[in-house]
């Protein structure tokens, strides 16, 4: 895995960890206070998926 992908992978994992820590677990996930953390965490998960896809595409480009 290239250094570029590793940096973004670590960044997204840190963002997800911060958002999980910031969520108030005693209230609903989609209340106004928690919704920004839930959506930010979902964006972090989506970012990890995109990094994985980009890494696989770069491996396919090397083979050809």
């Amino acid at each position: 895995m290239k250094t570029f992908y590793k940096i973004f992978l670590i960044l997204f994992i840190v963002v997800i960890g911060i958002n999980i820590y910031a969520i108030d677990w005693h209230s609903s996930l989609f209340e106004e206070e928690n919704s920004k953390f839930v959506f930010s965490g979902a964006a972090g998960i989506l970012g990890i998926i995109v990094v994985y896809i980009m890494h696989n595409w770069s491996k396919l480009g090397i083979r050809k």
Side-chain angles (χ1 to χ4, degrees), residues 3-20:
T3 306
F4 181 74
Y5 298 135
K6 288 179 185 177
I7 291 170
F8 278 100
L9 185 65
I10 291 170
L11 179 73
F12 288 132
I13 290 172
V14 168
V15 166
I16 291 170
I18 290 170
N19 286 314
I20 288 175

Side-chain angles (χ1 to χ4, degrees), residues 19-32:
N19 286 314
I20 288 175
Y21 179 75
I23 290 175
D24 181 19
W25 293 102
H26 296 291
S27 60
S28 173
L29 285 179
F30 292 105
E31 284 191 22
E32 188 174 344

